[in-house]
Amino acid sequence: MEIRVRKYRADDLPAMIRIWNEVVEEGIAFPQEELLDMTSGAAFFGSQSYSTVAEDGDSGTIYGLYILHPNNVGRCGHISNASYAVSSESRGLHIGEKLVKDSLVQGKRLGFGVLQFNAVVATNIHARHLYERLGFVQLGVIPGGFRMKDGRYEDICPYYHVL
């Protein structure tokens, strides 16, 4: 299987929306609570600085995606933010690693100086280990910063990487 990461196309939207909504419904990683439909999904992915998919080069199956956009405006507009989503059936295939590595390249290409993650849930150990292995630096811990789907609060760990 050869996975390639590429800019999304309109015909990728159904798979992207399905994968994004799967992560939102899990309620353990993304802050969003509203699910996307074709209209809101097209607007959401289209409004990002860069939206990508991880695709099987042979079958065309979409396994994951990321979005990249400014983390803030004005004097902080050089700091980017990204979110990653990988389908549950393809977790463990290192799709996330390919997506994060590509976002570092694309962020720099787009003129950002830093990639910052505001709300990595402390219990998301696989993501945290990946980020640390790729050179991201944890900024600290925000106690109880994330409300899980079941109503419990978990700590969040902001991370950054200079591009």
Side-chain angles (χ1 to χ4, degrees):
M1 172 187 323
E2 181 188 338
I3 303 298
R4 65 176 167 230
V5 178
R6 60 164 175 80
K7 188 171 184 174
Y8 90 104
R9 301 183 302 246
D11 61 333
D12 299 323
L13 284 170
M16 294 171 74
I17 291 166
R18 178 184 54 78
I19 293 166
W20 185 269
N21 286 346
E22 180 182 5
V23 176
V24 170
E25 285 178 325
E26 285 175 336
I28 60 173
F30 281 1
Q32 291 87 353
E33 295 179 303
E34 298 296 319
L35 299 179
L36 299 174
D37 58 26
M38 282 302 291
T39 302
S40 62
F44 178 71
F45 293 118
S47 70
Q48 306 301 319
S49 299
Y50 202 71
S51 295
T52 69
V53 296
E55 172 186 63
D56 182 316
D58 296 323
S59 70
T61 302
I62 304 296
Y63 291 116
L65 63 106
Y66 76 81
I67 59 171
L68 180 69
H69 51 86
N71 191 53
N72 211 317
V73 297
R75 298 183 197 282
C76 295
H78 63 287
I79 299 174
S80 61
N81 182 270
S83 297
Y84 310 90
V86 176
S87 66
S88 58
E89 67 268 10
S90 61
R91 291 181 189 155
L93 299 177
H94 304 285
I95 305 296
E97 180 174 359
K98 292 178 187 311
L99 292 169
V100 175
K101 285 180 173 179
D102 190 74
S103 71
L104 293 169
V105 170
Q106 297 302 329
K108 186 171 185 166
R109 182 186 67 78
L110 291 169
F112 292 110
V114 175
L115 177 55
Q116 178 177 312
F117 303 145
N118 302 323
V120 179
V121 180
T123 54
N124 192 348
I125 299 299
H126 296 294
R128 293 182 63 205
H129 287 164
L130 171 61
Y131 301 152
E132 290 167 12
R133 188 165 42 82
L134 294 179
F136 284 81
V137 177
Q138 183 178 333
L139 291 167
V141 175
I142 301 170
F146 188 90
R147 182 175 40 81
M148 304 291 278
K149 186 175 183 173
D150 66 8
R152 292 178 299 114
Y153 286 86
E154 290 286 345
D155 297 346
I156 55 176
C157 306
Y159 281 86
Y160 78 95
H161 192 295
V162 175
L163 301 177

